[in-house]
Amino acid sequence: MNLSIVIPLLNEEESLRELHDWIVQVMRSNRFSYEILFIDDGSTDGSWKVIASLCSENPCVKGIRFLRNFGKSQALHAGFHMAQGDAVITMDADLQDNPEEIPELYRMVSEGHFDLVSGWKKKRYDSILFKNMPSKLFNWAARRTSGVKLHDFNCGLKAYRKEVIKNIEVSGEMHRYIPVLAKSAGYMNIGEKVVLHQARKYGKTKFGMERFINGFLDLITIWFVSKFGRRPMHLFGALGVMMFMIGFGFSLYLGIDKLFIDPTGRLITDRPQFFIALTAMIIGTQLFLAGFLGEIMIRSRKNEPRYTIEKTLND
Ligand code: UDP
Ligand code: MG
């Protein structure tokens, strides 16, 4: 199978059939063998009904329904788990991403030797103040922190070689940083393609302004995890030892001073150095313990799924 098209969705009943027909038309005219995976992330409208009827009409359509809303990242995770195509395309369900881009994206990952190609909505049809401006700042920060030179991390339209998605774990709200995850998993050939973008046709966006706050926090997490996730002791241990040494240095000074230099002077507990020594040694021990616990957790961690699938169709 050439292509798996993974589409996470939440309450997009109006768009689904139109999107399906459009994708099918593009697939037929390019003679691709394909599957379309709709992941219903706990919709409360008629989305699942539409998916169920598409599944019965077209055997290339598969559906997954979550018991409740688990978020776009979890929906992608479930789609990636099920995908069988040589290349995997992700796209949003709201008709903002254009299916006509799929053939070129497919060529870029299958012949162009890219591990991953990310769409770039160069000309966007979203609100300027609430989306375009914060998004520029956000992408700049993401580029600086991660070292992945993409203009548009949050673009829903992306293409992957199958191997890439089978080897990364999209957790939390990390869907914005799949390219970063891919890079830290060792897939360095990351490409970018300018894609057409449309205004949302039906319904409204599922993410509010909190997307930027969450996005920045996730960025810090991902930076930390990709740098120290597998060796927490190297960070916490080093900081802990450093703090402890500072504290130890001060106590040594106090001890020598009290014993040999000025035994009749102020009480040790009246001196500021005492408190510095105390705090630094306690914090140092805590940090060291954090690193130690981190190492133990890494060794005992199992990869449990973070979602519950209600039902699966055509699989
Ligand atoms: N989505 C989802 N789960 C969520 C939120 C969104 O599966 O919890 C889907 C949504 O239905 C759409 C895609 O993710 O297909 C992108 O969402 P949206 O269009 O609201 O984001 P925007 O285009 O505003 O970035
Ligand atoms: Mg959208």
Side-chain angles (χ1 to χ4, degrees):
M1 187 187 297
N2 300 133
L3 273 168
S4 294
I5 299 165
V6 173
I7 307 176
L9 63 112
L10 174 66
N11 298 335
E12 310 278 6
E13 60 177 340
E14 303 97 330
S15 329
L16 293 177
R17 185 165 287 276
E18 199 173 324
L19 180 67
H20 166 266
D21 294 348
W22 196 356
I23 293 174
V24 169
Q25 179 219 318
V26 173
M27 293 298 115
R28 293 224 171 105
S29 60
N30 286 276
R31 298 179 181 284
F32 286 141
S33 53
Y34 71 98
E35 62 180 355
I36 303 177
L37 307 178
F38 285 110
I39 301 98
D40 181 349
D41 183 14
S43 296
T44 48
D45 66 352
S47 295
W48 182 249
K49 273 204 196 95
V50 182
I51 295 169
S53 70
L54 289 172
C55 280
S56 60
E57 291 159 31
N58 180 353
C60 298
V61 176
K62 295 170 187 180
I64 296 176
R65 177 170 168 81
F66 284 178
L67 264 176
R68 64 163 173 87
N69 177 242
F70 284 94
K72 190 178 176 183
S73 296
Q74 297 306 311
L76 287 173
H77 187 290
F80 287 168
H81 189 72
M82 195 169 161
Q84 288 164 358
D86 301 328
V88 177
I89 307 270
T90 59
M91 65 192 296
D92 291 352
D94 53 1
L95 292 166
Q96 290 198 274
D97 298 328
N98 191 324
E100 309 283 350
E101 304 283 356
I102 295 175
E104 182 55 28
L105 286 170
Y106 173 69
R107 268 183 280 281
M108 287 173 82
V109 287
S110 62
E111 294 157 22
H113 314 295
F114 283 111
D115 293 317
L116 179 174
V117 179
S118 177
W120 174 12
K121 299 167 297 213
K122 200 167 181 179
K123 181 147 179 42
R124 289 183 71 151
Y125 295 89
D126 283 318
S127 92
I128 291 186
L129 191 62
F130 292 109
K131 237 160 162 191
N132 297 10
M133 299 286 289
S135 150
K136 283 222 165 68
L137 182 71
F138 170 83
N139 280 303
W140 173 82
R143 271 197 300 277
R144 289 296 300 262
T145 334
S146 69
V148 176
K149 302 282 173 242
L150 289 179
H151 291 89
D152 190 2
F153 280 84
N154 203 14
C155 186
L157 185 54
K158 291 189 171 68
Y160 307 86
R161 281 198 300 116
K162 183 187 193 173
E163 190 196 323
V164 179
I165 52 124
K166 296 289 181 194
N167 283 309
I168 55 176
E169 188 88 0
V170 194
S171 57
E173 276 200 65
M174 295 304 176
H175 59 267
R176 300 186 184 89
Y177 303 110
I178 300 180
V180 184
L181 296 175
K183 191 179 169 195
S184 72
Y187 299 104
M188 302 294 184
N189 282 325
I190 297 175
E192 193 168 40
K193 178 186 184 307
V194 175
V195 293
L196 288 174
H197 183 240
Q198 280 98 237
R200 211 177 218 284
K201 207 163 165 183
Y202 310 100
K204 54 179 195 291
T205 176
K206 307 296 182 295
F207 299 98
M209 282 308 276
E210 75 276 4
R211 79 164 80 207
F212 295 106
I213 300 160
N214 294 344
F216 278 116
L217 294 176
D218 289 340
L219 188 61
I220 297 171
T221 310
I222 212 155
W223 169 81
F224 175 79
V225 170
S226 64
K227 226 174 148 78
F228 297 107
R230 281 174 215 291
R231 48 187 188 105
M233 200 51 164
H234 288 186
L235 178 70
F236 293 113
L239 285 176
V241 170
M242 213 168 72
M243 282 306 268
F244 193 88
M245 292 311 277
I246 293 172
F248 188 73
F250 276 107
S251 9
L252 206 64
Y253 160 78
L254 283 176
I256 291 172
D257 191 54
K258 191 74 195 171
L259 285 176
F260 306 113
I261 301 169
D262 184 15
T264 54
R266 280 185 295 166
L267 281 174
I268 285 183
T269 48
D270 281 345
R271 303 177 65 173
Q273 292 90 334
F274 171 75
F275 294 97
I276 299 175
L278 197 66
T279 339
M281 279 160 76
I282 292 175
I283 294 177
T285 320
Q286 294 279 0
L287 282 169
F288 195 84
L289 269 177
F292 203 57
L293 288 176
E295 294 286 342
I296 291 173
M297 280 167 78
I298 288 176
R299 275 158 189 75
S300 61
R301 186 167 54 193
K302 288 187 198 74
N303 288 330
E304 285 152 358
R306 278 164 225 94
Y307 49 80
T308 329
I309 294 174
E310 189 182 310
K311 38 194 171 241
T312 304
L313 285 182
N314 280 0
D315 188 43

